[in-house]
Amino acid sequence: MSASLRLVPSQRLSEGAGVTVHRTLGTPTLRTLDPFLMLDHFNSTNPGDYIAGFPDHPHRGFVTFTYLLEGHMLHRDSMGHEGDLVTGGAQWMKAARGVIHSEMPQQTQGRMSGFQLWINLPAREKMSDPEYREILPGEIPVIRHENAEIRLLAGSWAGQEGALTDPLTHLLYADITLSPQGSLSLPSRLFAGRSAFLYGIEGSLRVSKTEIPPETLAVLSSPNSPATLEIPLSSGSLPAHFILVSGRPIGEPVVAYGPFVMNTREEIERAIDDYRNNRFV
Ligand code: FE
């Protein structure tokens, strides 16, 4: 499979009120990986890169999944939820027909690092009621292999259930650290009929013989790729830290306009009109 391994280096962008993010999925290099629409990685010790945060903004038609590796953010939304996102915690928000929310840093110094992943919803769910779920750090099961530690945020792994189950896309979301000179074989069932990728955070990681540099996404499986056998991962002289994500493709048209992701142009126009006329909440 190494011949077909696709690497997507991140692009540095400014999001929200001026937060520096490293984007891989959702760029011209990789527009989407059905059902995934966007992956932003933020990681900085410079408050100027994160302090402005994400003031009130809308979403419609998909799920946002935020995972904080380090830092403290406060979430407030139009459903009336207020939630602290702290180091090691996560937040799953099904925006569906519409949510307006803010995500603001609660720190003025130190490192802020984490991910935001956008996961598409099938057409029948796009105008359903919004939902919000906070995942506390202690709720995330940790699976220890001989030379790997796996924090299972969503999905199942070797019979173990993660903190979150998503019946719509069968999301698997794992934070994995391989010890130095470690190895781990990813089972083929994580990829059969799925889209799957990993993203290098720190250290040197290899997929088969291909080196995955930090801040780079590697597509392991896409909706049209042939059945994949087990995928061997290994680390070098330093621990390798990365996330692994997989999900079942939806297979429907995607029309996206900023924070609105629908199936047709008309639905996007309606989303813009609904937002302008305060019909989101
Ligand atoms: Fe948002």
Side-chain angles (χ1 to χ4, degrees), residues 60-134:
R60 174 180 279 184
F62 57 97
V63 167
T64 65
F65 190 96
T66 310
Y67 177 35
L68 204 57
L69 291 164
E70 194 173 340
H72 185 187
M73 301 259 273
L74 178 68
H75 162 97
R76 280 202 185 100
D77 68 42
S78 50
M79 295 176 274
H81 296 120
E82 186 171 307
D84 262 329
L85 191 56
V86 295
T87 294
Q91 180 201 83
W92 177 88
M93 188 181 78
K94 182 183 173 188
R97 72 176 142 76
V99 166
I100 297 168
H101 75 154
S102 62
E103 298 148 295
M104 300 302 290
Q106 302 297 298
Q107 62 192 70
T108 51
Q109 56 183 11
R111 182 178 297 277
M112 168 80 79
S113 95
F115 292 96
Q116 185 165 97
L117 175 69
W118 288 11
I119 310 162
N120 205 3
L121 282 169
R124 67 176 190 282
E125 288 285 337
K126 282 187 180 287
M127 294 301 280
S128 61
D129 290 340
E131 290 174 44
Y132 172 77
R133 167 90 204 274
E134 211 173 82

Side-chain angles (χ1 to χ4, degrees):
M1 55 84 57
S2 57
S4 62
L5 188 68
R6 183 169 174 199
L7 299 188
V8 183
S10 59
Q11 290 184 12
R12 202 180 153 96
L13 299 168
S14 183
E15 269 297 320
V19 177
T20 301
V21 299
H22 304 272
R23 183 168 297 170
T24 41
L25 240 170
T27 60
T29 317
L30 185 63
R31 279 280 171 221
T32 61
L33 184 67
D34 188 10
F36 305 113
L37 302 164
M38 192 193 85
L39 181 71
D40 278 353
H41 175 215
F42 44 94
N43 180 21
S44 180
T45 52
N46 172 11
D49 283 334
Y50 61 75
I51 204 77
F54 301 89
D56 271 349
H57 61 278
H59 294 282
R60 174 180 279 184
F62 57 97
V63 167
T64 65
F65 190 96
T66 310
Y67 177 35
L68 204 57
L69 291 164
E70 194 173 340
H72 185 187
M73 301 259 273
L74 178 68
H75 162 97
R76 280 202 185 100
D77 68 42
S78 50
M79 295 176 274
H81 296 120
E82 186 171 307
D84 262 329
L85 191 56
V86 295
T87 294
Q91 180 201 83
W92 177 88
M93 188 181 78
K94 182 183 173 188
R97 72 176 142 76
V99 166
I100 297 168
H101 75 154
S102 62
E103 298 148 295
M104 300 302 290
Q106 302 297 298
Q107 62 192 70
T108 51
Q109 56 183 11
R111 182 178 297 277
M112 168 80 79
S113 95
F115 292 96
Q116 185 165 97
L117 175 69
W118 288 11
I119 310 162
N120 205 3
L121 282 169
R124 67 176 190 282
E125 288 285 337
K126 282 187 180 287
M127 294 301 280
S128 61
D129 290 340
E131 290 174 44
Y132 172 77
R133 167 90 204 274
E134 211 173 82
I135 300 164
L136 302 174
E139 294 174 340
I140 301 171
V142 180
I143 302 167
R144 287 175 218 283
H145 273 264
E146 201 180 321
N147 45 31
E149 189 180 282
I150 301 161
R151 300 188 82 220
L152 193 56
L153 285 91
S156 66
W157 183 296
Q160 168 85 55
E161 290 301 313
L164 180 90
T165 300
D166 172 11
L168 296 172
T169 57
H170 295 241
L171 174 70
L172 174 106
Y173 195 122
D175 170 333
I176 303 178
T177 304
L178 271 182
S179 44
Q181 314 296 351
S183 63
L184 178 71
S185 185
L186 300 177
S188 56
R189 60 167 186 79
L190 296 179
F191 310 109
R194 308 281 168 110
S195 294
F197 65 85
L198 55 77
Y199 182 97
I201 301 169
E202 256 184 339
S204 60
L205 174 69
R206 279 171 191 273
V207 177
S208 294
K209 293 191 163 48
T210 307
E211 179 98 28
I212 315 296
E215 298 184 349
T216 301
L217 181 148
V219 178
L220 302 177
S221 174
S222 58
N224 302 317
S225 60
T228 310
L229 300 172
E230 295 203 339
I231 296 180
L233 304 182
S234 58
S235 56
S237 56
L238 296 170
H241 186 196
F242 58 98
I243 56 166
L244 170 72
V245 177
S246 82
R248 197 166 61 179
I250 294 169
E252 293 175 356
V254 173
V255 183
Y257 180 78
F260 310 134
V261 183
M262 303 301 286
N263 300 104
T264 67
R265 185 70 231 168
E266 291 70 32
E267 288 166 346
I268 290 292
E269 280 160 17
R270 187 175 153 205
I272 295 166
D273 193 61
D274 283 352
Y275 180 59
R276 283 194 185 137
N277 292 289
N278 299 315
R279 286 192 298 263
F280 249 52
V281 290

